[in-house]
mmCIF file with all atom_site columns, all heavy atoms in Angstrom:
data_model
loop_
_atom_site.group_PDB
_atom_site.id
_atom_site.type_symbol
_atom_site.label_atom_id
_atom_site.label_alt_id
_atom_site.label_comp_id
_atom_site.label_asym_id
_atom_site.label_entity_id
_atom_site.label_seq_id
_atom_site.pdbx_PDB_ins_code
_atom_site.Cartn_x
_atom_site.Cartn_y
_atom_site.Cartn_z
_atom_site.occupancy
_atom_site.B_iso_or_equiv
_atom_site.pdbx_formal_charge
_atom_site.auth_seq_id
_atom_site.auth_comp_id
_atom_site.auth_asym_id
_atom_site.auth_atom_id
_atom_site.pdbx_PDB_model_num
ATOM 1   N N   . GLY A 1 140 ? 0.593  -7.293  -11.875 1.00 98.00 ? 1319 GLY A N   1
ATOM 2   C CA  . GLY A 1 140 ? 0.195  -8.548  -11.261 1.00 98.00 ? 1319 GLY A CA  1
ATOM 3   C C   . GLY A 1 140 ? 1.359  -9.264  -10.593 1.00 98.00 ? 1319 GLY A C   1
ATOM 4   O O   . GLY A 1 140 ? 2.526  -8.942  -10.832 1.00 98.00 ? 1319 GLY A O   1
ATOM 5   N N   . VAL A 1 141 ? 1.019  -10.249 -9.747  1.00 98.00 ? 1320 VAL A N   1
ATOM 6   C CA  . VAL A 1 141 ? 2.039  -11.129 -9.165  1.00 98.00 ? 1320 VAL A CA  1
ATOM 7   C C   . VAL A 1 141 ? 2.043  -12.412 -9.996  1.00 98.00 ? 1320 VAL A C   1
ATOM 8   O O   . VAL A 1 141 ? 0.999  -13.030 -10.218 1.00 98.00 ? 1320 VAL A O   1
ATOM 9   C CB  . VAL A 1 141 ? 1.713  -11.425 -7.677  1.00 98.00 ? 1320 VAL A CB  1
ATOM 10  C CG1 . VAL A 1 141 ? 2.597  -12.546 -7.144  1.00 98.00 ? 1320 VAL A CG1 1
ATOM 11  C CG2 . VAL A 1 141 ? 1.883  -10.171 -6.840  1.00 98.00 ? 1320 VAL A CG2 1
ATOM 12  N N   . LYS A 1 142 ? 3.235  -12.785 -10.448 1.00 97.00 ? 1321 LYS A N   1
ATOM 13  C CA  . LYS A 1 142 ? 3.364  -13.941 -11.348 1.00 97.00 ? 1321 LYS A CA  1
ATOM 14  C C   . LYS A 1 142 ? 3.571  -15.231 -10.561 1.00 97.00 ? 1321 LYS A C   1
ATOM 15  O O   . LYS A 1 142 ? 3.170  -16.312 -10.971 1.00 97.00 ? 1321 LYS A O   1
ATOM 16  C CB  . LYS A 1 142 ? 4.605  -13.683 -12.214 1.00 97.00 ? 1321 LYS A CB  1
ATOM 17  C CG  . LYS A 1 142 ? 4.446  -14.085 -13.632 1.00 97.00 ? 1321 LYS A CG  1
ATOM 18  C CD  . LYS A 1 142 ? 5.550  -13.560 -14.520 1.00 97.00 ? 1321 LYS A CD  1
ATOM 19  C CE  . LYS A 1 142 ? 6.949  -13.696 -13.938 1.00 97.00 ? 1321 LYS A CE  1
ATOM 20  N NZ  . LYS A 1 142 ? 7.995  -13.229 -14.838 1.00 97.00 ? 1321 LYS A NZ  1
ATOM 21  N N   . GLY A 1 143 ? 4.240  -15.107 -9.430  1.00 97.00 ? 1322 GLY A N   1
ATOM 22  C CA  . GLY A 1 143 ? 4.526  -16.302 -8.645  1.00 97.00 ? 1322 GLY A CA  1
ATOM 23  C C   . GLY A 1 143 ? 5.319  -15.938 -7.405  1.00 97.00 ? 1322 GLY A C   1
ATOM 24  O O   . GLY A 1 143 ? 5.554  -14.753 -7.127  1.00 97.00 ? 1322 GLY A O   1
ATOM 25  N N   . PHE A 1 144 ? 5.688  -16.954 -6.647  1.00 98.00 ? 1323 PHE A N   1
ATOM 26  C CA  . PHE A 1 144 ? 6.464  -16.696 -5.415  1.00 98.00 ? 1323 PHE A CA  1
ATOM 27  C C   . PHE A 1 144 ? 7.280  -17.929 -5.100  1.00 98.00 ? 1323 PHE A C   1
ATOM 28  O O   . PHE A 1 144 ? 6.993  -19.033 -5.580  1.00 98.00 ? 1323 PHE A O   1
ATOM 29  C CB  . PHE A 1 144 ? 5.515  -16.371 -4.245  1.00 98.00 ? 1323 PHE A CB  1
ATOM 30  C CG  . PHE A 1 144 ? 4.594  -17.491 -3.903  1.00 98.00 ? 1323 PHE A CG  1
ATOM 31  C CD1 . PHE A 1 144 ? 4.927  -18.421 -2.915  1.00 98.00 ? 1323 PHE A CD1 1
ATOM 32  C CD2 . PHE A 1 144 ? 3.398  -17.667 -4.585  1.00 98.00 ? 1323 PHE A CD2 1
ATOM 33  C CE1 . PHE A 1 144 ? 4.080  -19.466 -2.618  1.00 98.00 ? 1323 PHE A CE1 1
ATOM 34  C CE2 . PHE A 1 144 ? 2.552  -18.718 -4.292  1.00 98.00 ? 1323 PHE A CE2 1
ATOM 35  C CZ  . PHE A 1 144 ? 2.893  -19.627 -3.308  1.00 98.00 ? 1323 PHE A CZ  1
ATOM 36  N N   . SER A 1 145 ? 8.305  -17.685 -4.298  1.00 98.00 ? 1324 SER A N   1
ATOM 37  C CA  . SER A 1 145 ? 9.105  -18.832 -3.888  1.00 98.00 ? 1324 SER A CA  1
ATOM 38  C C   . SER A 1 145 ? 9.615  -18.579 -2.466  1.00 98.00 ? 1324 SER A C   1
ATOM 39  O O   . SER A 1 145 ? 10.150 -17.507 -2.157  1.00 98.00 ? 1324 SER A O   1
ATOM 40  C CB  . SER A 1 145 ? 10.208 -19.026 -4.940  1.00 98.00 ? 1324 SER A CB  1
ATOM 41  O OG  . SER A 1 145 ? 11.444 -19.118 -4.382  1.00 98.00 ? 1324 SER A OG  1
ATOM 42  N N   . ASP A 1 152 ? 9.936  -14.745 -1.805  1.00 97.00 ? 1331 ASP A N   1
ATOM 43  C CA  . ASP A 1 152 ? 10.298 -13.873 -2.930  1.00 97.00 ? 1331 ASP A CA  1
ATOM 44  C C   . ASP A 1 152 ? 9.109  -13.820 -3.880  1.00 97.00 ? 1331 ASP A C   1
ATOM 45  O O   . ASP A 1 152 ? 8.702  -14.842 -4.442  1.00 97.00 ? 1331 ASP A O   1
ATOM 46  C CB  . ASP A 1 152 ? 11.534 -14.415 -3.660  1.00 97.00 ? 1331 ASP A CB  1
ATOM 47  C CG  . ASP A 1 152 ? 12.797 -14.246 -2.809  1.00 97.00 ? 1331 ASP A CG  1
ATOM 48  O OD1 . ASP A 1 152 ? 12.792 -13.361 -1.922  1.00 97.00 ? 1331 ASP A OD1 1
ATOM 49  O OD2 . ASP A 1 152 ? 13.767 -14.995 -3.023  1.00 97.00 ? 1331 ASP A OD2 1
ATOM 50  N N   . VAL A 1 153 ? 8.575  -12.614 -4.038  1.00 98.00 ? 1332 VAL A N   1
ATOM 51  C CA  . VAL A 1 153 ? 7.358  -12.446 -4.841  1.00 98.00 ? 1332 VAL A CA  1
ATOM 52  C C   . VAL A 1 153 ? 7.748  -11.875 -6.207  1.00 98.00 ? 1332 VAL A C   1
ATOM 53  O O   . VAL A 1 153 ? 8.360  -10.815 -6.294  1.00 98.00 ? 1332 VAL A O   1
ATOM 54  C CB  . VAL A 1 153 ? 6.382  -11.487 -4.109  1.00 98.00 ? 1332 VAL A CB  1
ATOM 55  C CG1 . VAL A 1 153 ? 5.105  -11.304 -4.913  1.00 98.00 ? 1332 VAL A CG1 1
ATOM 56  C CG2 . VAL A 1 153 ? 6.071  -11.999 -2.703  1.00 98.00 ? 1332 VAL A CG2 1
ATOM 57  N N   . MET A 1 154 ? 7.414  -12.623 -7.267  1.00 98.00 ? 1333 MET A N   1
ATOM 58  C CA  . MET A 1 154 ? 7.785  -12.200 -8.623  1.00 98.00 ? 1333 MET A CA  1
ATOM 59  C C   . MET A 1 154 ? 6.648  -11.392 -9.254  1.00 98.00 ? 1333 MET A C   1
ATOM 60  O O   . MET A 1 154 ? 5.511  -11.877 -9.351  1.00 98.00 ? 1333 MET A O   1
ATOM 61  C CB  . MET A 1 154 ? 8.060  -13.429 -9.505  1.00 98.00 ? 1333 MET A CB  1
ATOM 62  C CG  . MET A 1 154 ? 9.450  -14.010 -9.343  1.00 98.00 ? 1333 MET A CG  1
ATOM 63  S SD  . MET A 1 154 ? 9.580  -15.094 -7.904  1.00 98.00 ? 1333 MET A SD  1
ATOM 64  C CE  . MET A 1 154 ? 8.939  -16.623 -8.526  1.00 98.00 ? 1333 MET A CE  1
ATOM 65  N N   . LEU A 1 155 ? 6.969  -10.188 -9.693  1.00 98.00 ? 1334 LEU A N   1
ATOM 66  C CA  . LEU A 1 155 ? 5.948  -9.346  -10.332 1.00 98.00 ? 1334 LEU A CA  1
ATOM 67  C C   . LEU A 1 155 ? 5.961  -9.568  -11.846 1.00 98.00 ? 1334 LEU A C   1
ATOM 68  O O   . LEU A 1 155 ? 6.981  -9.989  -12.424 1.00 98.00 ? 1334 LEU A O   1
ATOM 69  C CB  . LEU A 1 155 ? 6.204  -7.873  -10.023 1.00 98.00 ? 1334 LEU A CB  1
ATOM 70  C CG  . LEU A 1 155 ? 6.281  -7.485  -8.547  1.00 98.00 ? 1334 LEU A CG  1
ATOM 71  C CD1 . LEU A 1 155 ? 6.258  -5.967  -8.391  1.00 98.00 ? 1334 LEU A CD1 1
ATOM 72  C CD2 . LEU A 1 155 ? 5.137  -8.092  -7.753  1.00 98.00 ? 1334 LEU A CD2 1
ATOM 73  N N   . ALA A 1 156 ? 4.839  -9.232  -12.474 1.00 97.00 ? 1335 ALA A N   1
ATOM 74  C CA  . ALA A 1 156 ? 4.702  -9.477  -13.926 1.00 97.00 ? 1335 ALA A CA  1
ATOM 75  C C   . ALA A 1 156 ? 5.771  -8.723  -14.714 1.00 97.00 ? 1335 ALA A C   1
ATOM 76  O O   . ALA A 1 156 ? 6.244  -9.198  -15.750 1.00 97.00 ? 1335 ALA A O   1
ATOM 77  C CB  . ALA A 1 156 ? 3.310  -9.072  -14.379 1.00 97.00 ? 1335 ALA A CB  1
ATOM 78  N N   . GLU A 1 159 ? 10.314 -7.753  -11.745 1.00 97.00 ? 1338 GLU A N   1
ATOM 79  C CA  . GLU A 1 159 ? 10.957 -7.451  -10.458 1.00 97.00 ? 1338 GLU A CA  1
ATOM 80  C C   . GLU A 1 159 ? 10.596 -8.517  -9.409  1.00 97.00 ? 1338 GLU A C   1
ATOM 81  O O   . GLU A 1 159 ? 9.518  -9.119  -9.462  1.00 97.00 ? 1338 GLU A O   1
ATOM 82  C CB  . GLU A 1 159 ? 10.439 -6.092  -9.982  1.00 97.00 ? 1338 GLU A CB  1
ATOM 83  C CG  . GLU A 1 159 ? 11.242 -5.493  -8.857  1.00 97.00 ? 1338 GLU A CG  1
ATOM 84  C CD  . GLU A 1 159 ? 10.639 -4.149  -8.408  1.00 97.00 ? 1338 GLU A CD  1
ATOM 85  O OE1 . GLU A 1 159 ? 9.911  -3.538  -9.201  1.00 97.00 ? 1338 GLU A OE1 1
ATOM 86  O OE2 . GLU A 1 159 ? 10.919 -3.758  -7.272  1.00 97.00 ? 1338 GLU A OE2 1
ATOM 87  N N   . THR A 1 160 ? 11.510 -8.733  -8.465  1.00 97.00 ? 1339 THR A N   1
ATOM 88  C CA  . THR A 1 160 ? 11.223 -9.652  -7.343  1.00 97.00 ? 1339 THR A CA  1
ATOM 89  C C   . THR A 1 160 ? 11.276 -8.856  -6.040  1.00 97.00 ? 1339 THR A C   1
ATOM 90  O O   . THR A 1 160 ? 12.204 -8.075  -5.822  1.00 97.00 ? 1339 THR A O   1
ATOM 91  C CB  . THR A 1 160 ? 12.272 -10.785 -7.301  1.00 97.00 ? 1339 THR A CB  1
ATOM 92  O OG1 . THR A 1 160 ? 12.139 -11.551 -8.495  1.00 97.00 ? 1339 THR A OG1 1
ATOM 93  C CG2 . THR A 1 160 ? 12.050 -11.707 -6.112  1.00 97.00 ? 1339 THR A CG2 1
ATOM 94  N N   . ILE A 1 161 ? 10.262 -9.042  -5.197  1.00 96.00 ? 1340 ILE A N   1
ATOM 95  C CA  . ILE A 1 161 ? 10.217 -8.347  -3.903  1.00 96.00 ? 1340 ILE A CA  1
ATOM 96  C C   . ILE A 1 161 ? 10.258 -9.395  -2.800  1.00 96.00 ? 1340 ILE A C   1
ATOM 97  O O   . ILE A 1 161 ? 9.462  -10.333 -2.819  1.00 96.00 ? 1340 ILE A O   1
ATOM 98  C CB  . ILE A 1 161 ? 8.913  -7.546  -3.736  1.00 96.00 ? 1340 ILE A CB  1
ATOM 99  C CG1 . ILE A 1 161 ? 8.667  -6.614  -4.916  1.00 96.00 ? 1340 ILE A CG1 1
ATOM 100 C CG2 . ILE A 1 161 ? 8.929  -6.754  -2.448  1.00 96.00 ? 1340 ILE A CG2 1
ATOM 101 C CD1 . ILE A 1 161 ? 7.348  -5.856  -4.801  1.00 96.00 ? 1340 ILE A CD1 1
#
Side-chain angles (χ1 to χ4, degrees):
V1320 169
K1321 220 168 44 178
F1323 62 93
S1324 129
D1331 289 337
V1332 180
M1333 278 82 82
L1334 304 191
E1338 194 182 338
T1339 296
I1340 307 177

